[in-house]
């Protein structure tokens, strides 16, 4: 019995067990420390798993010692390791931040429930990434979704309740579609194991049940992914949720859905000839472009900064899906790099906005004017992240757009380079709106004095801002893992 | 393999569409959740119906029987039912909170309330 062998199970079990314990303890400091310990160890485990995968290739772990076709298999490969590190890493940064942040947003007798839900949400997201069983993926998806509905509903504004309810409707429809897709695949192949499905689907060209499964899975995952035009739930959910929750969900929830999409498209359907028969790539390309342009345009006209950056998230998801639609190693690398870079950037922005909310009491553009003087560090951080959203060289966003453009050139679609650049110009406009208001307008009366957010909130946000810049210069970590994962995915296909 | 022998799929599609229609077409938040429940039920049917084999018995090893029905879908759907119950409970809890905050559970009225309070917000 070697503890290292059981790391894949511990990865999910630790946060999952921390949640009910936190509810039983009912004491907010103890609950916080418990969940913090669970999530920091989950991050350590994800790094260990990544090292293990690097040394000895994909890990397969049989839950309860039932071998794969019968039992549930946990499977860790380069892609899984990347998503695990992203989710647990962001959670490890956001959780210490949330302690100061929810102090002002959630009644203090509910704090232990917040920590429990947070741990549950992390467990669900990690589970989606690590499981090798298609039905198990649905169960973890629901664990993470149900807990995120609760987290969003904890927002101070009553509109948070409606946003959460709408997300619940859309999310449940999405999850039901996913489970219908999985059911059809199960009827077709007789197995729920992803590897098993892939083997039995090999060489299929146009079975109607498989096509229906592909359609249901695409729509279902796109709902969770907030792919344009199925993004309606996202802006309100991010805008009215507590700051720490907005940051965590913006950085991880949609990214894990990207993972699910890649897993189904490349690992399961990869060896079928479906993509050659259906214009899937053109279809995804169209939706990605629509998202990039329309959502960025809508972002320009927002008054509330959280909503502005939420619409920008929908646009960035467009870039992520654009990479998938190329169906090549470079394209998927671009997708994965942008997934990480955007998670770090958007996480940092929402953490900083939480500080603004706390100090100034509002985040509408009229409220934050002159913020460059009263909160210089925070404003500077938001501007740096904004540059990364635009894709200015020296920031993380540049690296991912560079790879997207490389993939477009490799594909021979030169006009796409123009599309990527011109949609970046729209990002310039909405980031500039913040810069103009924060730096070129006089502060509101009473805002002249310096009042940054407390250090316990500035430090986690600062960490992510530094990561945004770091990933812009040192790409060995992000691009390294991403290209390994992309090669694994796309090679398993063609 | 006639159309009739596949009637369970027909029922499943009908339930799916009926549920989806109620979720989209009704403005009452509780009715929407009812629709969501019907939609989820259609999924249960999709899994359960093909698990039954005509003439098959429960999977208990015995020399008298050689044809068994597949028990796995039942286990899966048991999980899905639990998820459905949790979703419904959470949804209803949210509706209670929405009623407390807005005094109504009609979607149009809630949107009206939001527009009104947004208009009333002082714009500096």
């Amino acid at each position: 019995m070697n503890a290292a062998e059981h790391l894949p199970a511990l990865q999910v079990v630790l946060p999952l067990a921390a949640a009910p314990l936190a509810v039983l303890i009912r004491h907010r400091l103890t609950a916080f420390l418990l969940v913090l310990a669970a999530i920091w160890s989950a991050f350590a485990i994800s790094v260990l798993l990544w090292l293990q995968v690097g040394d000895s290739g994909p890990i397969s772990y049989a839950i309860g010692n039932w071998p794969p076709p019968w039992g549930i298999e946990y499977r860790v490969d380069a892609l899984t390791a990347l998503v695990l590190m992203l989710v647990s890493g962001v959670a490890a940064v956001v959780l210490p931040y949330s302690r100061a942040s929810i102090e002002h947003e959630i009644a203090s007798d509910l704090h232990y429930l917040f920590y429990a839900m947070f741990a549950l949400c992390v467990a669900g997201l990690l589970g989606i990434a690590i499981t090798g069983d298609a039905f198990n993926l649905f169960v973890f998806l629901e664990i993470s979704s149900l807990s995120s509905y609760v987290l969003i509903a904890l927002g101070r504004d009553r509109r948070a309740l409606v946003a959460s309810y709408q997300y619940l409707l859309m999310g449940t429809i999405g999850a039901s579609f996913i489970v219908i897709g999985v059911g059809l695949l199960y009827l077709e192949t007789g197995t729920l194991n992803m590897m098993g499905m892939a083997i039995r689907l090999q060489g299929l060209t146009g079975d109607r049940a498989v096509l229906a499964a592909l359609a249901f899975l695409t729509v279902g995952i796109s709902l969770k992914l907030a792919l344009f035009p199925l993004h309606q739930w996202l802006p309100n959910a991010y805008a009215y949720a507590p700051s720490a929750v907005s940051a965590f969900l913006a950085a991880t929830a949609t990214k894990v859905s990207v993972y699910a999409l890649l897993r189904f498209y490349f690992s399961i359907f990869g060896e079928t000839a479906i993509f050659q028969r259906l214009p899937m790539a053109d279809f995804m390309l169209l939706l990605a472009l629509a998202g990039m342009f329309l959502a960025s345009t809508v972002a320009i006209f927002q008054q509330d900064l959280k909503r502005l950056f939420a619409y920008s998230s929908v646009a960035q998801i467009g870039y992520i899906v654009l990479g998938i639609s190329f169906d090549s190693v470079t394209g998927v690398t671009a997708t994965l790099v942008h997934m990480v870079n955007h998670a770090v950037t958007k996480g940092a922005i929402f953490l900083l906005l939480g500080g603004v909310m706390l100090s100034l009491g509002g985040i509408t553009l009229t409220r934050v004017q002159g913020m460059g003087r009263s909160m210089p560090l925070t404003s500077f951080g938001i501007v740096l992240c904004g540059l990364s959203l635009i894709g200015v060289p020296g920031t993380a966003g540049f690296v991912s757009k560079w790879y997207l453009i490389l993939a477009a050139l490799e594909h021979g679609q030169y006009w796409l380079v123009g599309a990527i650049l011109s949609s970046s110009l729209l990002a310039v406009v909405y980031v500039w709106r913040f810069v103009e208001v924060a730096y070129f307008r006089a502060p509101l009366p009473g805002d002249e004095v310096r009042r940054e957010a407390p250090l316990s909130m500035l430090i986690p946000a600062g960490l992510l801002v530094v990561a945004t810049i770091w990933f812009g210069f040192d790409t060995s970590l992000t691009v390294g893992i991403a290209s390994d994962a992309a090669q694994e995915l796309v090679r398993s296909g063609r | 393999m006639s159309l009739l022998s596949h009637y369970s799929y027909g029922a499943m599609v009908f339930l799916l569409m009926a549920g989806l229609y109620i979720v989209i077409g009704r403005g009452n938040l509780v009715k929407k959740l009812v629709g969501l429940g019907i939609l989820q039920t259609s999924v249960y049917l999709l899994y359960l119906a093909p698990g039954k084999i005509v003439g098959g018995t429960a999977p208990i090893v015995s020399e008298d029987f050689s044809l068994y029905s597949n028990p796995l879908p039942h286990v899966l759907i048991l999980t899905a039912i639990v998820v459905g119950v949790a979703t419904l409970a959470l949804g209803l809890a949210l509706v209670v909170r929405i009623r407390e905050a807005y005094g109504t559970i009609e979607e149009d009225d809630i949107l009206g309330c939001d527009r009104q309070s947004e208009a009333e917000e002082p714009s500096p």
Side-chain angles (χ1 to χ4, degrees), chain A residues 232-247:
Chain A
Q232 300 296 345
W233 57 268
L234 186 142
N236 281 339
Y238 284 8
Y240 302 123
S243 315
V245 176
S246 306

Side-chain angles (χ1 to χ4, degrees), chain A residues 277-331:
Chain A
R277 273 194 64 222
L278 289 179
M280 284 303 286
D282 297 337
F283 182 64
M284 295 308 256
L285 179 74
L286 197 70
L287 292 183
L289 285 175
M292 279 156 57
F293 282 97
L294 295 177
S296 300
T297 313
V298 176
I300 293 172
F301 295 101
Q302 295 303 313
Q303 280 302 315
D304 180 307
L305 279 175
K306 262 178 142 181
R307 280 181 79 90
L308 188 154
F309 286 113
Y311 275 107
S312 138
S313 275
V314 178
Q316 302 290 326
I317 287 161
Y319 292 109
I320 292 176
V321 174
L322 183 66
I324 299 178
S325 76
F326 291 132
D327 192 18
S328 64
V329 175
T330 326

Side-chain angles (χ1 to χ4, degrees), chain A residues 356-430:
Chain A
V356 179
M357 187 77 179
L358 183 66
S359 294
L360 301 182
I363 45 164
T364 52
L365 278 171
T366 40
R367 183 67 195 84
V368 301
Q369 55 178 298
M371 196 187 117
R373 215 164 302 164
S374 54
M375 305 179 75
L377 284 176
T378 308
S379 311
F380 186 57
I382 296 179
V383 171
L384 280 180
C385 294
L387 293 179
S388 170
L389 287 180
I390 298 167
V392 173
T395 59
F398 173 71
V399 179
S400 24
K401 284 196 180 154
W402 177 253
Y403 275 89
L404 266 180
I405 289 174
L406 280 184
L409 291 178
E410 192 185 277
H411 224 237
Q413 287 169 308
Y414 300 102
W415 62 278
L416 266 179
V417 178
I420 293 168
L421 292 179
S422 51
S423 69
S424 302
L425 290 179
L426 292 174
V428 174
V429 179
Y430 63 70

